[in-house]
C-alpha cells in the first residue's frame, strides 16, 4: 500500500481522484492547504505528494519553498497538479524540485493515475 | 606771530592727516557699500535660486516630460541671467528636438553657431554623433534679423540634462557680449537643472516600479480567474468521467453525493461567469440601471427570507432594522440592489462564525442634519458613522453588519479593487470567492449616483454599506 498525500483546497478533486485510484494499491490522505499539508507530511510520511498551487493560507509555491528550506522534513516526491497553465509557473515549480506538473483540466483522471504510478515506479527504482 | 607760525605748522601736519582720514572713511564706506551691494546681489541670487527651485518643484510636479521641464526652466531664467538667446536639445524617441528662445533679436548665423556648439556638447557627452536630418526645431521670442553680417557669440555655456544616469539633453545659454557669465551663474543653473533631473529620475523610478506592480497584480488576477473558472468545470468533467467508467454505480449512495458535487460546481461556475459578465459590462460603462419607484423595506425583507435558511443552518441570526425616518419609497433598480444585498449578505455569512449575528439596517441620512442616533446596534459591534457614510446629499443608507472575523486594516482598501482580493479565509473552507462581487456592488451603487463603503475591525466584525441618493 502506497500513501498519497493530496494537498488541495478543492475537496471535489481529492474525492474524484480517490475514486479513480485502485483501492487495493493506494491510501489517500487529504490536506486542504499547505499548512495542514506540512503537518500531515510529518505525521503520515507519504510516498507521494499531489500538490495544488492556488490555496488559502500556505499556497503550493510556498509549500515547495518550505520543503526546500526545512531539512527535517521527509524527502517525498511532489507532483504538482493545478489549473494554472502559465509556462512561467510550470518552469518555476519544476525548478523548485517538483517531479512533474499536471494541468488538471488538460488531463483525464486516468492519465493522472498513470502519472502517479509512473512517479511512484521511478521512485521505487531509485530506492532499490 | 609765533603763535600764527605754530598754528600754521600744526595745520600743515594735521591737514594731510585729516585728508587721509576723510579719504580713508570715504573709501572704507565705498568698500562697505560695495560689499553690501555684493551681499545684496548674493542674497537676491540665493532667494531667486530658492524661488526658482521651489517653483520648479511645484510646476514639474509629477511631469515626466523632459521637454516640458526644460521649457519651464528656460521660461523662468530671464529674471535671473541676461542672455541673447537660450536653447535646448532633447533626445526624444531617436529624434532630436531643438528649441530656441530669442530674447534680443539676432541673425541666423548666431543661432546656427549656438546650435552647432550645443550639439557638439551633446555629442561629446553622449559619445556619439546625432542625426540632424530628422531633428525638430522650434523658435520663439524676438525676431531673427535678416542680414548677412556675422554676429559672434561673446559668452556661452552648456549644461547637460541627465535622467536616470544618461544624458538626455543639453541646455545652452548665449550672449553677444563677451565675458558675461560668471562661475556663480553657471553653478546656479547647473543646480536648477540638476534638481529637475533628480526629480524626474526619482519619478521615473516610481512609475516603473508601480507599472511592474500593476502588471504583477493583473497577472495574479488573471490566473486566479482562470483557476476559478477551470476548477469547477474540470470537477464536473472528472465526475462524469468516473460515471462513464462505471466507477460510481447509479444506485449507490456515492452517486447522489457526486450529483451534489456536480450541482455545486456548476452553480459556483455560473456565479463566477455572471460576475465576470457584470464586471465587463460595468467596465465598458454598459451596465444598465432601470430606476423605478420601489419599497426598500420589501426588498430587504425579501432578501432576509431568501438567506434565512442558510443562516439558520449556520446558526447565525439574520435580522433587519428600519429606522423611523426611512421613507417608504425610493428610486432604484430593484434587481441591481438585490445583487448588492446578495453580495453583502453572502459575504457576511461566509465570514461569521456559528452563533454570530447579521443585521441589515436601513435609514435616511441628510448630511445637513445630524446622523440618526436611534439605530439598533446592540447585536453588532462595528457600525459606520457620519464620517464613514460621507454623502453630500440626502441619501438612503443600507448597512449589512456582522460580528464575524473582520478585515485586517491593511486589506480594507483592497476590498473594492478589481485586481485585488483581501487575503482572509472564510469560516468554512467550502466558501470561496473571487472578490469580484464587491467590485460589482461598487459599480452598481455608483451607477445609481451613490457609493459603497466598509468599516471593519479584525476579530470584531464588519459593516458593509451602500448609499443611494434620495
Amino acid at each position: 500500500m502506497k500513501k498519497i498525500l493530496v494537498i488541495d483546497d478543492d475537496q471535489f478533486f481529492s474525492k474524484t481522484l480517490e475514486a479513480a485510484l485502485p483501492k487495493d494499491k493506494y491510501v489517500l490522505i487529504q490536506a486542504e492547504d499547505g499548512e495542514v499539508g506540512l503537518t500531515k507530511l510529518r505525521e503520515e510520511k507519504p510516498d507521494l505528494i499531489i500538490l495544488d498551487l492556488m490555496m488559502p493560507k500556505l499556497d503550493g509555491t510556498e509549500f515547495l519553498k518550505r520543503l526546500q528550506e526545512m531539512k527535517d522534513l521527509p524527502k517525498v516526491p511532489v507532483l504538482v497538479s493545478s489549473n494554472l497553465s502559465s509556462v512561467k509557473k510550470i518552469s518555476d515549480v519544476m525548478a523548485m524540485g517538483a517531479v512533474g506538473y499536471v494541468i488538471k483540466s488538460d488531463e483525464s483522471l486516468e492519465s493522472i493515475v498513470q502519472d502517479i504510478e509512473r512517479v511512484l515506479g521511478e521512485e521505487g527504482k531509485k530506492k532499490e | 606771530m609765533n603763535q600764527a607760525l605754530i598754528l600754521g605748522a600744526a595745520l600743515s601736519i594735521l591737514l594731510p592727516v585729516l585728508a587721509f582720514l576723510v579719504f580713508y572713511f570715504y573709501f572704507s564706506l565705498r568698500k562697505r557699500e560695495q560689499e553690501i551691494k555684493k551681499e545684496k546681489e548674493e542674497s537676491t541670487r540665493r532667494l531667486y535660486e530658492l524661488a526658482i527651485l521651489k517653483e520648479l518643484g511645484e510646476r514639474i510636479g509629477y511631469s515626466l516630460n523632459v521637454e516640458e521641464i526644460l521649457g519651464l526652466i528656460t521660461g523662468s531664467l530671464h529674471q535671473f541671467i541676461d542672455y541673447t538667446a537660450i536653447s535646448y536639445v532633447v533626445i526624444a524617441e531617436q529624434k532630436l528636438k531643438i528649441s530656441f528662445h530669442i530674447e534680443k533679436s539676432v541673425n541666423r548665423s548666431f543661432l546656427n553657431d549656438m546650435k552647432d556648439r550645443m550639439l557638439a556638447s551633446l555629442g561629446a557627452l553622449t559619445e556619439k554623433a546625432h542625426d540632424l536630418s530628422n531633428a525638430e526645431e522650434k523658435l520663439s521670442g524676438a525676431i531673427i534679423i535678416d542680414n548677412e553680417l556675422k554676429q559672434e557669440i561673446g559668452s556661452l555655456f552648456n549644461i547637460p540634462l541627465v535622467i536616470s544616469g544618461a544624458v538626455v539633453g543639453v541646455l545652452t545659454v548665449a550672449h553677444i557680449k563677451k565675458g558675461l557669465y560668471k562661475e556663480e551663474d553657471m553653478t546656479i543653473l547647473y543646480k536648477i537643472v540638476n534638481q529637475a533631473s533628480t526629480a524626474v529620475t526619482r519619478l521615473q523610478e516610481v512609475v516603473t516600479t508601480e507599472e511592474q506592480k500593476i502588471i504583477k497584480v493583473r497577472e495574479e488576477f488573471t490566473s486566479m480567474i482562470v483557476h476559478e473558472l477551470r476548477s469547477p468545470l474540470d470537477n464536473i468533467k472528472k465526475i462524469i468521467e468516473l460515471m462513464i467508467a462505471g466507477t460510481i454505480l447509479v444506485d449507490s449512495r456515492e452517486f447522489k453525493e457526486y450529483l451534489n458535487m456536480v450541482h455545486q460546481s456548476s452553480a459556483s461556475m455560473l456565479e463566477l461567469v455572471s460576475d465576470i459578465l457584470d464586471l465587463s459590462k460595468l467596465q465598458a460603462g454598459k451596465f444598465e440601471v432601470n430606476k423605478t419607484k420601489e419599497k426598500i423595506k420589501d426588498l430587504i425583507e425579501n432578501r432576509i427570507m431568501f438567506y434565512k435558511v442558510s443562516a439558520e443552518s449556520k446558526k447565525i441570526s439574520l435580522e433587519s432594522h428600519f429606522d423611523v425616518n426611512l421613507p417608504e419609497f425610493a428610486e432604484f433598480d430593484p434587481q441591481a440592489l438585490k445583487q448588492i444585498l446578495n453580495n453583502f449578505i453572502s459575504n457576511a455569512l461566509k465570514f461569521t462564525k456559528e452563533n454570530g449575528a447579521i443585521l441589515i439596517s436601513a435609514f435616511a441620512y441628510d448630511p445637513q442634519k445630524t446622523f440618526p442616533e436611534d439605530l439598533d446596534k446592540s447585536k453588532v459591534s462595528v457600525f459606520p458613522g457620519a464620517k464613514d457614510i460621507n454623502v453630500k446629499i440626502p441619501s438612503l443608507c443600507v448597512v449589512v453588519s456582522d460580528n464575524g472575523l473582520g478585515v485586517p486594516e491593511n486589506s480594507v482598501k483592497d476590498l473594492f479593487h478589481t485586481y485585488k482580493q483581501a487575503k482572509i479565509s472564510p469560516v468554512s473552507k467550502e466558501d470561496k470567492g473571487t472578490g469580484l462581487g464587491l467590485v460589482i456592488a461598487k459599480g452598481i451603487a455608483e451607477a445609481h449616483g451613490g457609493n459603497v463603503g466598509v468599516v471593519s475591525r479584525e476579530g470584531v466584525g464588519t459593516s458593509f454599506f451602500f448609499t443611494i441618493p434620495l
Side-chain angles (χ1 to χ4, degrees):
Chain A
M1 280 293 230
K2 298 269 188 196
K3 264 190 199 173
I4 300 173
L5 172 62
V6 179
I7 310 175
D8 198 321
D9 58 333
D10 184 351
Q11 308 292 301
F12 294 172
F13 175 73
S14 359
K15 253 198 132 66
T16 48
L17 185 65
E18 191 173 21
L21 283 166
K23 287 189 180 48
D24 51 331
K25 281 166 81 181
Y26 302 103
V27 191
L28 196 136
I29 308 147
Q30 287 185 32
E32 66 266 24
D33 59 61
E35 270 176 26
V36 182
L38 283 175
T39 321
K40 296 222 164 149
L41 171 62
R42 281 208 177 86
E43 287 170 4
E44 306 274 353
K45 301 196 174 52
D47 298 285
L48 174 72
I49 295 171
I50 311 263
L51 179 70
D52 183 26
L53 290 181
M54 277 183 93
M55 287 184 288
K57 289 176 189 165
L58 192 73
D59 69 17
T61 320
E62 276 302 308
F63 180 87
L64 282 170
K65 214 181 268 171
R66 296 275 178 95
L67 217 55
Q68 285 180 319
E69 288 164 4
M70 295 159 98
K71 302 287 174 216
D72 59 318
L73 288 170
K75 288 273 164 278
V76 179
V78 180
L79 183 64
V80 174
S81 81
S82 170
N83 272 320
L84 295 176
S85 52
S86 92
V87 180
K88 192 181 174 298
K89 201 82 209 175
I90 297 173
S91 60
D92 279 358
V93 299
M94 291 306 282
M96 290 175 89
V99 295
Y101 194 108
V102 177
I103 299 168
K104 282 187 200 167
S105 56
D106 286 1
E107 303 224 24
S108 64
L109 277 168
E110 210 186 327
S111 70
I112 297 177
V113 171
Q114 279 171 9
D115 278 336
I116 292 172
E117 299 204 307
R118 181 181 51 79
V119 173
L120 281 173
E122 278 168 12
E123 289 299 313
K125 270 182 214 158
K126 263 189 219 166
K127 275 175 196 164
E128 279 160 22
Chain B
M1 184 70 192
N2 266 351
Q3 270 181 343
L5 267 176
I6 294 164
L7 194 72
L11 268 176
S12 63
I13 297 165
L14 271 174
L15 265 176
V17 174
L18 260 172
F20 172 76
L21 279 175
V22 166
F23 276 109
Y24 176 78
F25 277 116
Y26 174 74
F27 279 114
S28 58
L29 258 175
R30 273 294 297 272
K31 205 180 157 208
R32 182 77 200 119
E33 231 169 48
Q34 272 171 347
E35 271 173 17
I36 288 171
K37 204 179 156 210
K38 216 178 163 197
E39 267 172 31
K40 250 188 175 169
E41 268 176 19
E42 187 62 26
S43 60
T44 318
R45 201 193 299 279
R46 286 254 168 77
L47 273 176
Y48 174 76
E49 190 185 323
L50 273 177
I52 196 166
L53 286 180
K54 188 172 168 281
E55 188 188 330
L56 272 174
E58 282 165 2
R59 289 176 67 185
I60 291 172
Y62 297 104
S63 168
L64 268 179
N65 189 334
V66 178
E67 256 194 284
E68 203 174 291
I69 292 162
L70 281 173
L72 277 177
I73 297 175
T74 50
S76 32
L77 271 186
H78 61 93
Q79 9 169 349
F80 156 65
I81 35 175
D82 194 18
Y83 52 81
T84 308
I86 188 163
S87 68
Y88 64 79
V89 54
V90 193
I91 310 166
E93 292 150 13
Q94 310 305 316
K95 195 162 97 179
L96 290 185
K97 286 192 174 178
I98 302 169
S99 165
F100 282 98
H101 181 81
I102 309 164
E103 198 62 29
K104 291 168 202 95
S105 287
V106 275
N107 68 14
R108 192 75 226 184
S109 76
F110 182 94
L111 294 181
N112 284 343
D113 199 9
M114 196 175 162
K115 186 163 87 182
D116 288 347
R117 288 165 77 168
M118 178 168 74
L119 291 173
S121 160
L122 181 73
L125 287 163
T126 54
E127 291 174 342
K128 65 174 181 187
H130 291 274
D131 182 16
L132 272 177
S133 59
N134 60 348
E136 210 179 277
E137 214 175 300
K138 214 165 65 187
L139 274 170
S140 64
I143 49 159
I144 300 177
I145 307 164
D146 196 11
N147 65 25
E148 297 299 313
L149 284 172
K150 178 96 178 131
Q151 259 179 319
E152 300 267 345
I153 295 176
S155 315
L156 176 139
F157 69 97
N158 294 312
I159 300 226
L161 184 73
V162 184
I163 307 282
S164 302
V167 176
V168 295
V170 171
L171 182 76
T172 302
V173 182
H175 205 291
I176 294 180
K177 275 188 206 152
K178 274 187 185 165
L180 206 64
Y181 301 131
K182 291 183 221 99
E183 183 84 29
E184 304 101 270
D185 300 328
M186 291 185 244
T187 313
I188 291 170
L189 192 53
Y190 187 78
K191 255 191 213 170
I192 291 166
V193 175
N194 196 36
Q195 160 119 350
S197 311
T198 322
V200 176
T201 308
R202 222 180 295 131
L203 194 62
Q204 215 154 40
E205 277 162 16
V206 171
V207 169
T208 323
T209 35
E210 282 306 309
E211 268 170 359
Q212 278 164 347
K213 265 193 217 159
I214 290 171
I215 292 170
K216 196 168 168 270
V217 165
R218 270 176 201 254
E219 273 172 3
E220 275 172 10
F221 176 76
T222 317
S223 46
M224 190 250 311
I225 293 295
V226 168
H227 183 271
E228 295 304 308
L229 271 177
R230 270 186 181 162
S231 295
L233 200 56
D234 180 47
N235 282 329
I236 296 169
K237 189 180 142 223
K238 289 203 161 53
I239 291 165
I240 308 276
E241 209 181 291
L242 285 173
M243 288 176 177
I244 292 170
T247 317
I248 315 163
L249 298 172
V250 177
D251 295 329
S252 65
R253 189 185 49 82
E254 281 107 1
F255 188 78
K256 206 167 170 224
E257 204 183 318
Y258 278 104
L259 276 188
N260 271 328
M261 279 157 60
V262 171
H263 179 245
Q264 267 191 52
S265 293
S266 52
S268 81
M269 210 178 96
L270 197 62
E271 198 182 308
L272 179 59
V273 170
S274 317
D275 277 357
I276 293 172
L277 290 177
D278 279 345
L279 188 69
S280 53
K281 266 191 232 160
L282 281 169
Q283 283 177 339
K286 283 180 187 153
F287 193 91
E288 275 178 35
V289 173
N290 301 311
K291 279 195 208 172
T292 44
K293 207 172 169 190
E294 297 284 338
K295 284 183 178 170
I296 183 72
K297 228 170 164 174
D298 285 2
L299 180 81
I300 292 171
E301 272 164 358
N302 169 285
R303 286 298 91 194
I304 287 186
M305 288 268 283
F306 183 79
Y307 281 101
K308 204 81 195 175
V309 185
S310 72
E312 270 166 9
S313 75
K314 292 183 174 193
K315 297 199 176 66
I316 296 170
S317 77
L318 176 61
E319 286 166 26
S320 60
H321 174 81
F322 301 110
D323 192 52
V324 280
N325 70 9
L326 183 76
E328 198 181 350
F329 292 96
E331 296 256 327
F332 57 82
D333 181 335
Q335 278 311 318
L337 286 210
K338 198 188 253 181
Q339 219 173 326
I340 304 185
L341 279 172
N342 283 352
N343 182 264
F344 285 2
I345 301 168
S346 63
N347 261 344
L349 283 168
K350 272 184 207 171
F351 296 100
T352 305
K353 287 185 194 152
E354 221 170 76
N355 300 319
I358 297 172
L359 175 77
I360 307 176
S361 323
F363 55 91
Y365 170 45
D366 181 350
Q368 303 296 320
K369 294 172 189 162
T370 53
F371 195 74
E373 292 281 326
D374 51 345
L375 301 166
D376 174 24
K377 302 170 202 166
S378 57
K379 282 185 183 163
V380 289
S381 351
V382 182
F383 203 85
K387 184 166 60 60
D388 307 302
I389 304 181
N390 188 16
V391 290
K392 303 272 179 285
I393 45 171
S395 300
L396 162 72
C397 307
V398 179
V399 187
V400 177
S401 318
D402 65 55
N403 56 4
L405 305 179
V407 185
E409 216 180 317
N410 54 5
S411 290
V412 172
K413 62 175 180 4
D414 291 343
L415 283 174
F416 295 104
H417 194 291
T418 314
Y419 301 112
K420 287 181 186 168
Q421 195 185 14
K423 287 197 170 54
I424 355 161
S425 299
V427 174
S428 157
K429 53 192 175 231
E430 275 90 47
D431 289 328
K432 287 211 293 185
T434 52
L436 288 184
L438 288 175
V439 183
I440 295 165
K442 183 172 188 255
I444 294 173
E446 282 170 0
H448 276 84
N451 212 342
V452 285
V454 60
V455 280
S456 186
R457 257 167 52 214
E458 203 176 355
V460 180
T462 308
S463 276
F464 277 101
F465 58 86
F466 66 86
T467 64
I468 303 287
L470 279 173

